[in-house]
Amino acid sequence: MFVNSPTSSTGPITIPHELVDRILDFNHSSVPSLASSSLVCKDWLVTTRYHLFRIPVLYQVSLGRGPKDNTNAFIEVLNSPLCTFRSTIQGCVLNVERGGVRSRCLDALAAHQVHVDLLIISQYIGRLSFAELHISERFSSIRNLVYWNIGTWALDLPELVTSLPLLESLSVYTKLRDIDETPHFPITQGLDILPGLRTLRLRLFHPSKLLQWLLDLPGYHTQIETLDIVVYNAHPTGWGLVGALETFVAANSQTLYDLSLKMEYYSDLPHDLDDQIVHDLNLTTLIHLRSLTLRSHDIHAMCQTLTRLLQTNRVHLNVLTLYSDPLPSLNNQQYINDSFRETLSDTFEDNFFDKVDLLRLKFVSPLHFRIDLDEENMAKVTSLAHSLNLSSWKTREKVDIEVTKARNWQKHSIEMINRIIWGSRLVPFRFQNPSRIGTL
């Protein structure tokens, strides 16, 4: 490869292709930068095409006066005889409202025998039938499956999950306003079900139902290595509807290395299952755990769970991350409460620093959309972070304290669409390289 340099007096300078690849890899999440880089020279096209089209993110959503739709352009280019990126595609993200558009996208991928390793499907309206899409027959190579729902649950979701022989990662998310509609998970007969499943990610009001289904599934042998759960809770205390979690983690105690359990409090959730909310969570069976992330409004429940776990002699964590979000009704009053500060200090001061290599404490300051109030809140949270009595941890350089603001999203932006769908500005999948957003 040759790049003309205006300061060179000897002509073109040869740059190793590996070095160019490393430089372009830094732009993996910037679609404009990748598009511009692809036009520099022919040799740059291969790497930029890989990042642009490896996991195409397709949108067909309506948000007021800002609809997003790039599906027709994608299908047109994919069907063109001049298309050069078909072999680059390794998956697809479908943020699509209409079932017909979703079918057209999958039909186009199947017609060209595109290898699909990752498939993310979001469901907005109507009832989705995976059987009608023939996903398992046409895309048996799927290793990573993400299903997000805002309408009526796809009744054949369990059949799709168990029909993917190479599935390694399963993510199931649900929309808040329909959270009370939990799906029915029938028992599927089989000799060897989900032999490669290692990662499970859930955003549910009632995750116990899915966890129990996996435990009861004939032919399935639990081997989860990464478990990532976000639980919507109708109460400011406790861990929500995770009654089957203790049994599930115990069944995976020999393989589970990475556990993340996060709470999100919403007062308008249904209260008919309040008697099933778990307040005391026992994780002491996880003797091989290496990374633990907890987020809760209930600092007492979080510290109680941690104390029981870290008192187990065989437990040693590489990273322990604790998120603390103030309750919406209390704003920062929770942070300046003496009980909150004392609970954190009493739990960690002179305790457990030999059980954890790095302690990360993250405090979130809510937004009021007024500069003066936001700055005042940030000052209060920062003061709390500096007032914590963690001298033993600080002396050993084993603690990292971070204060962040809650995020705002530009109206009708891709970030806001992802926030509505996934709860974050990024499409929530991890596939070798960091996640990216954008359109084709």
Side-chain angles (χ1 to χ4, degrees), residues 121-415:
I121 293 184
S122 58
Q123 176 188 347
Y124 290 80
I125 56 178
R127 186 178 294 277
L128 172 63
S129 173
F130 289 111
E132 294 177 358
L133 297 176
H134 305 288
I135 292 177
S136 58
E137 296 88 344
R138 298 188 293 181
F139 306 107
S140 60
S141 60
I142 293 177
R143 297 178 182 271
N144 302 269
L145 176 67
V146 179
Y147 170 63
W148 175 85
N149 165 275
I150 192 177
T152 306
W153 277 92
L155 298 180
D156 55 353
L157 173 63
E159 284 76 8
L160 172 63
V161 170
T162 55
S163 66
L164 298 174
L166 302 180
L167 191 65
E168 297 177 357
S169 175
L170 172 64
S171 302
V172 180
Y173 304 134
T174 188
K175 185 59 180 170
L176 176 62
R177 66 169 179 249
D178 294 316
I179 209 95
D180 56 325
E181 292 189 23
T182 52
H184 173 63
F185 294 99
I187 300 299
T188 304
Q189 298 294 331
L191 297 177
D192 192 10
I193 302 297
L194 302 174
L197 186 62
R198 298 293 184 270
T199 300
L200 183 63
R201 305 184 189 280
L202 307 175
R203 289 175 64 91
L204 297 171
F205 171 62
H206 199 336
S208 281
K209 202 161 191 178
L210 193 147
L211 296 177
Q212 193 63 52
W213 170 69
L214 285 173
L215 290 172
D216 297 338
L217 188 61
Y220 171 64
H221 305 284
T222 55
Q223 302 179 73
I224 299 296
E225 297 176 359
T226 299
L227 181 60
D228 181 7
I229 300 180
V230 176
V231 186
Y232 296 105
N233 196 357
H235 285 270
T237 59
W239 290 106
L241 300 176
V242 291
L245 181 60
E246 288 187 12
T247 305
F248 188 81
V249 297
N252 292 274
S253 61
Q254 299 300 315
T255 57
L256 189 58
Y257 302 109
D258 185 1
L259 173 62
S260 176
L261 178 60
K262 300 178 181 179
M263 304 300 303
E264 291 195 12
Y265 167 72
Y266 292 97
S267 58
D268 56 349
L269 285 172
H271 291 264
D272 56 317
L273 299 176
D274 289 355
D275 59 326
Q276 299 181 30
I277 291 178
V278 174
H279 293 275
D280 185 13
L281 186 62
N282 185 2
L283 303 176
T284 56
T285 57
L286 299 178
I287 59 177
H288 297 291
L289 196 65
R290 292 297 174 262
S291 175
L292 176 62
T293 299
L294 297 176
R295 186 181 76 192
S296 176
H297 305 294
D298 188 350
I299 188 65
H300 298 284
M302 190 160 56
C303 290
Q304 183 181 24
T305 298
L306 279 173
T307 300
R308 293 184 63 179
L309 173 65
L310 296 177
Q311 285 177 344
T312 303
N313 294 330
R314 293 177 292 178
V315 172
H316 185 91
L317 299 177
N318 295 334
V319 180
L320 171 60
T321 304
L322 303 182
Y323 285 84
S324 182
D325 297 340
L327 288 171
S329 59
L330 297 179
N331 292 324
N332 275 333
Q333 295 300 317
Q334 175 180 343
Y335 282 154
I336 61 178
N337 187 291
D338 290 338
S339 175
F340 179 92
R341 191 179 358 239
E342 292 172 0
T343 301
L344 267 180
S345 298
D346 292 346
T347 300
F348 290 103
E349 176 58 19
D350 296 327
N351 295 319
F352 309 130
F353 48 78
D354 58 333
K355 296 292 189 71
V356 180
D357 293 336
L358 178 60
L359 171 63
R360 291 175 175 168
L361 299 177
K362 298 181 181 291
F363 302 96
V364 180
S365 178
L367 287 177
H368 289 276
F369 304 102
R370 284 181 50 186
I371 295 178
D372 56 338
L373 291 179
D374 291 342
E375 291 179 349
E376 180 182 352
N377 286 338
M378 196 68 176
K380 290 179 180 179
V381 180
T382 302
S383 175
L384 165 73
H386 291 295
S387 65
L388 290 175
N389 186 15
L390 299 174
S391 57
S392 299
W393 292 80
K394 294 177 181 178
T395 301
R396 294 168 174 82
E397 297 182 347
K398 284 190 169 187
V399 63
D400 178 21
I401 301 177
E402 179 182 353
V403 178
T404 60
K405 286 184 179 180
R407 292 182 176 179
N408 188 19
W409 313 97
Q410 184 179 355
K411 191 174 183 181
H412 299 326
S413 66
I414 295 297
E415 289 88 346

